[in-house]
Amino acid sequence: MSPADDYSVLASSPAAAAILTALVTSGPQSRVSLARKLGLSSAAVTKSARPLIDAGYLSELDATERTGPGAGRPASPLTVRADREFFLGVKLTGDELIGVVCDLTAKIRAVSHRPLRSSAVVDVLAEITAMTGELLDGPGNYRERTRRLGLAVSGDVDRASGLVRYSPFLRWRNVLLGKLAAAATGLVVTVENDVKALTTAEHWFGEGAGADSFALVTVGQGIGCGLVVNGRPVSGSHGVAGEIGHISVDAAGPQCHCGSRGCVEAIAGTSYIVAAAGTSTIDEAVAQARAGDPRVTAVFARAGEAIGLGIAAVANLVGPAHIVVSGEGLSAYDLFEPHIRSGFERQAFGAAADCPLSIRPLPFEEWARGAAAVSIQSRLVPLA
Amino acid sequence: MSPADDYSVLASSPAAAAILTALVTSGPQSRVSLARKLGLSSAAVTKSARPLIDAGYLSELDATERTGPGAGRPASPLTVRADREFFLGVKLTGDELIGVVCDLTAKIRAVSHRPLRSSAVVDVLAEITAMTGELLDGPGNYRERTRRLGLAVSGDVDRASGLVRYSPFLRWRNVLLGKLAAAATGLVVTVENDVKALTTAEHWFGEGAGADSFALVTVGQGIGCGLVVNGRPVSGSHGVAGEIGHISVDAAGPQCHCGSRGCVEAIAGTSYIVAAAGTSTIDEAVAQARAGDPRVTAVFARAGEAIGLGIAAVANLVGPAHIVVSGEGLSAYDLFEPHIRSGFERQAFGAAADCPLSIRPLPFEEWARGAAAVSIQSRLVPLA
């Protein structure tokens, strides 16, 4: 069956897309359980699952494969065939592309890195094309089952049109990246803001899976936040949401690039840490702090504290079920973690302090996986 | 038809409840438009509307009553008969009850005030019973068509069980107010946190009507915030949400009762303003500021600025379509308003500054209307 035929399986039936989405995000389930969860009749689930089984997206687990309690009556749970379709994900930074191939359940199957010597649009497109070719034609034979590419870019991105309105690290304004990359690669392309992409990956496939509310805070050059509230991502009525980096936590704090002062980002963003530490790179600042330099240690402590206050603001305002703190800045998370926690605990109001924080470093591959997760999502929920 | 019969009209049909809710919150509409909005067939709308018309909840507008564009073909829009059912709403403060009678569209029909000389539960219940009797048996003859009472209380309230877990101004802990008031008055009682009740009134019947996201910030003894995100109220996975008063905006700011420092509430809450102004009441502080005392004027300026920074945090994080700032503290809103706006504008990030702010005083009757709005909501959406 050709990819075009596969596509029609989902496009012709919202119920089929809903079934596949539920199985992709929540694992194997019986038809009865799917029917209950999706508000469909069992007959409708059986009918809609049939073409997915025929097209190779789903299979039935037989009795011997089933585990867990309540498996009394034989009910043939449905499960996703993860290798039925693959998805490319590429994260663009100012000086590097990081690419992955993921399967339908967002498991990383292959990884590639490529330096970016120029951020001119034409050069970046050439590198994306070379990278996707390398990944698809390398070991694993992914080309045949891959039609889609997700791109993740920091900055102001309009996912619906694939437009990068503004990306400071690439120095881009109004680049129609989706259309250009589709023409260059021949793939169906989705473009998303990198923090939103990572939030999608965590909400669909990670620690936030199935949560009605969830926050992902990213620490690095910028301090960002992806939010899920009432079961759906928060995108902001005026195009701005999740800007935890521009909560002011110190009236007398340092000047921020946004024009205000004392913002979380002006205390904890990588370039502000480097400036406050008086070093030339963040690695140098980390090394000095680890060597016990009290002045530089205090810079990281203050940064962690500011992040903790920002996270407490998120918990106090929207009360997520769970908050994940991550990002490339947390490669030095041993320097931040206790101060993030103490700032959070001091400022979280009442039961908001019960919100669990997961603080962990995040390899750049995870950002690329986020891009692939958005591509999977756009495959399964065309309107998302 | 008796009230019991009326109730069955809605209880037996989710579609009937959905139709009445849409008409109550969005005004007269044709059956076709209702069908489109609710995802029902026109036949289903016609069938479900019939018993509501028979029971006197809906009527048909005839052609001469219709206004507005697109009224070409006769389509008999449906409209709510607002006086078909009335709802009592009572706001409890530490020293006063404020009560209203509202119609089905939350329009206030009657108002009553009653001092509370004691906040002992038994005394408050006696006053609630006296007030509801007075309102129902006074002019307007409301008793016959009133079965429901909403109560609004500041503090930690569990709406589902009618339990007031903690209310500082009443000095109550774990009072089963819903059950006690139902027994005392013979009415169906809903209890809700006062800020959430006011947010419901604004979201269903006020400036936030129909908005996918919306925030209401209340300024007074406490600084609170009701939030609607992705079309639904935000309640917080750990029971805390909307605590804008405990966002820290000044690392060197005054000690807050929550244990932290520099919280919005520790700068802008009524008792902190009185303390900083060195007066004995808020009215005295307002009078001194209006008389031009520069020290007291600066106290209000700093308070307004802190509120503005807190509101900017809301806009930066969740991006509401619209923010209303209100509350009894804004009886002096001329002293606050320019500083709220300047704090907000300085800290709102990029397009977040486009979020419109409505800053206006709020009579106490509006809080009581919020309580009635929650009662209307619980009538129409039993699971809300």
Side-chain angles (χ1 to χ4, degrees):
Chain A
M1 184 172 280
S2 77
D5 294 328
D6 299 343
Y7 191 77
S8 66
V9 170
L10 294 182
S12 65
S13 161
I19 289 166
L20 190 52
T21 302
L23 293 169
V24 160
T25 54
S26 309
Q29 282 160 82
S30 70
R31 290 173 176 83
V32 171
S33 146
L34 283 166
R36 200 178 307 123
K37 184 181 283 182
L38 302 173
L40 299 168
S41 68
S42 286
V45 170
T46 299
K47 186 176 167 214
S48 301
R50 190 72 252 165
L52 292 170
I53 295 170
D54 292 344
Y57 281 93
L58 298 186
S59 62
E60 293 181 290
L61 288 178
D62 61 41
T64 57
E65 290 180 58
R66 273 178 288 152
T67 53
R73 285 177 55 206
S76 309
L78 294 169
T79 190
V80 169
R81 289 184 52 189
D83 61 359
R84 178 61 188 84
E85 185 169 345
F86 298 105
F87 299 82
L88 288 158
V90 176
K91 151 86 173 172
L92 289 68
T93 76
D95 56 7
E96 194 186 19
L97 298 183
I98 304 98
V100 295
V101 177
C102 285
D103 66 22
L104 252 173
T105 60
K107 198 174 154 212
I108 296 177
R109 299 294 193 108
V111 177
S112 171
H113 288 250
R114 236 182 149 82
L116 271 186
R117 281 181 194 88
S118 143
S119 68
V121 174
V122 59
D123 295 332
V124 173
L125 283 169
E127 294 295 339
I128 290 173
T129 308
M131 173 178 257
T132 56
E134 183 189 300
L135 282 166
L136 293 182
D137 296 326
N141 191 25
Y142 299 113
R143 184 174 288 279
E144 195 186 324
R145 295 186 184 177
T146 305
R147 293 206 321 141
R148 287 177 173 257
L149 163 65
L151 299 174
V153 184
S154 73
D156 185 357
V157 174
D158 182 51
R159 175 170 168 176
S161 63
L163 173 70
V164 178
R165 287 203 198 90
Y166 177 51
S167 184
F169 301 130
L170 291 162
R171 294 179 301 281
W172 285 2
R173 279 194 191 274
N174 296 319
V175 174
L176 270 168
L177 182 61
K179 282 187 185 156
L180 293 169
T185 62
L187 297 162
V188 178
V189 176
T190 311
V191 186
E192 180 60 288
N193 166 274
D194 55 353
V195 176
K196 286 189 186 160
L198 206 52
T199 306
T200 296
E202 289 287 338
H203 187 220
W204 274 48
F205 304 107
E207 286 193 63
D212 192 55
S213 64
F214 169 72
L216 172 76
V217 176
T218 61
V219 177
Q221 192 63 42
I223 315 290
C225 177
L227 277 173
V228 170
V229 176
N230 286 330
R232 282 159 45 202
V234 177
S235 50
S237 297
H238 304 280
V240 171
E243 289 291 351
I244 190 176
H246 299 284
I247 292 178
S248 175
V249 295
D250 186 356
Q255 189 71 34
C256 182
H257 65 86
C258 76
S260 191
R261 59 168 60 249
C263 297
V264 173
E265 194 162 302
I267 300 170
T270 301
S271 58
Y272 291 93
I273 290 178
V274 169
T279 56
S280 35
T281 65
I282 185 72
D283 291 343
E284 218 178 293
V286 168
Q288 288 193 15
R290 287 203 176 126
D293 181 329
R295 208 181 44 79
V296 180
T297 307
V299 169
F300 280 97
R302 189 184 182 199
E305 179 87 4
I307 296 167
L309 293 178
I311 293 171
V314 173
N316 290 349
L317 282 176
V318 302
H322 186 183
I323 299 178
V324 172
V325 188
S326 199
E328 71 276 14
L330 286 185
S331 58
Y333 87 112
D334 52 309
L335 298 173
F336 284 116
E337 181 174 7
H339 308 288
I340 293 176
R341 291 199 187 275
S342 73
F344 173 76
E345 281 160 20
R346 177 159 60 78
Q347 197 61 43
F349 185 70
D354 296 344
C355 179
L357 296 189
S358 303
I359 303 178
R360 52 177 160 85
L362 184 82
F364 257 124
E365 288 79 9
E366 293 294 313
W367 291 95
R369 177 175 175 259
V374 169
S375 178
I376 298 171
Q377 188 185 52
S378 68
R379 170 79 169 100
L380 298 179
V381 191
L383 300 177
Chain B
M1 184 173 277
S2 77
D5 294 329
D6 300 343
Y7 191 78
S8 68
V9 169
L10 294 182
S12 64
S13 162
I19 290 166
L20 190 52
T21 302
L23 294 170
V24 160
T25 54
S26 309
Q29 282 159 82
S30 70
R31 290 173 176 83
V32 172
S33 146
L34 282 166
R36 200 177 307 123
K37 182 181 283 181
L38 301 174
L40 298 168
S41 68
S42 287
V45 170
T46 299
K47 185 176 166 216
S48 300
R50 191 74 251 163
L52 291 171
I53 295 170
D54 293 344
Y57 281 92
L58 299 185
S59 62
E60 292 181 291
L61 287 178
D62 62 41
T64 57
E65 290 182 57
R66 274 180 287 153
T67 54
R73 286 177 54 207
S76 309
L78 293 169
T79 190
V80 169
R81 290 184 53 188
D83 61 358
R84 178 60 188 83
E85 186 169 343
F86 298 105
F87 298 83
L88 287 159
V90 176
K91 152 87 171 170
L92 288 69
T93 75
D95 55 8
E96 193 186 19
L97 297 183
I98 304 98
V100 295
V101 176
C102 286
D103 66 24
L104 251 174
T105 61
K107 198 174 153 215
I108 296 178
R109 300 293 192 107
V111 177
S112 170
H113 288 250
R114 239 185 144 82
L116 271 187
R117 279 181 196 88
S118 142
S119 68
V121 174
V122 59
D123 294 330
V124 173
L125 283 170
E127 293 296 337
I128 290 173
T129 307
M131 172 178 259
T132 56
E134 182 190 299
L135 282 166
L136 293 182
D137 296 325
N141 191 25
Y142 299 113
R143 183 174 289 279
E144 194 187 324
R145 295 187 183 177
T146 305
R147 292 205 323 142
R148 287 177 174 260
L149 164 66
L151 299 174
V153 184
S154 73
D156 185 357
V157 173
D158 182 52
R159 175 170 167 177
S161 63
L163 173 69
V164 178
R165 286 202 199 91
Y166 177 50
S167 184
F169 302 129
L170 290 163
R171 294 179 300 280
W172 285 3
R173 280 194 189 273
N174 297 318
V175 174
L176 271 169
L177 182 61
K179 283 189 185 156
L180 293 169
T185 63
L187 297 162
V188 178
V189 176
T190 311
V191 186
E192 181 60 288
N193 166 274
D194 55 355
V195 176
K196 287 189 185 160
L198 205 52
T199 306
T200 296
E202 288 288 337
H203 187 221
W204 275 46
F205 303 106
E207 287 193 62
D212 192 53
S213 64
F214 168 72
L216 172 76
V217 176
T218 59
V219 177
Q221 191 65 41
I223 315 288
C225 177
L227 277 172
V228 170
V229 176
N230 286 330
R232 282 158 45 202
V234 176
S235 51
S237 297
H238 304 280
V240 171
E243 289 291 351
I244 191 176
H246 299 284
I247 293 179
S248 173
V249 295
D250 186 354
Q255 188 71 34
C256 182
H257 65 86
C258 76
S260 190
R261 57 169 61 247
C263 298
V264 173
E265 193 161 303
I267 300 170
T270 301
S271 58
Y272 291 93
I273 290 178
V274 169
T279 56
S280 36
T281 65
I282 186 71
D283 291 343
E284 218 177 291
V286 169
Q288 289 194 14
R290 289 205 175 124
D293 181 328
R295 207 181 47 78
V296 180
T297 307
V299 169
F300 280 98
R302 188 184 184 199
E305 179 87 6
I307 296 167
L309 293 177
I311 292 171
V314 173
N316 290 349
L317 283 176
V318 303
H322 186 183
I323 299 178
V324 172
V325 188
S326 198
E328 72 275 14
L330 286 184
S331 58
Y333 86 114
D334 53 310
L335 297 173
F336 282 118
E337 181 173 9
H339 308 287
I340 293 177
R341 292 199 185 275
S342 73
F344 173 76
E345 281 159 21
R346 176 159 62 77
Q347 198 60 43
F349 184 69
D354 296 344
C355 178
L357 297 190
S358 303
I359 304 179
R360 53 178 160 83
L362 184 81
F364 256 124
E365 287 79 10
E366 293 295 312
W367 290 97
R369 176 176 176 259
V374 169
S375 177
I376 297 171
Q377 188 185 52
S378 68
R379 169 79 168 100
L380 298 179
V381 191
L383 301 176

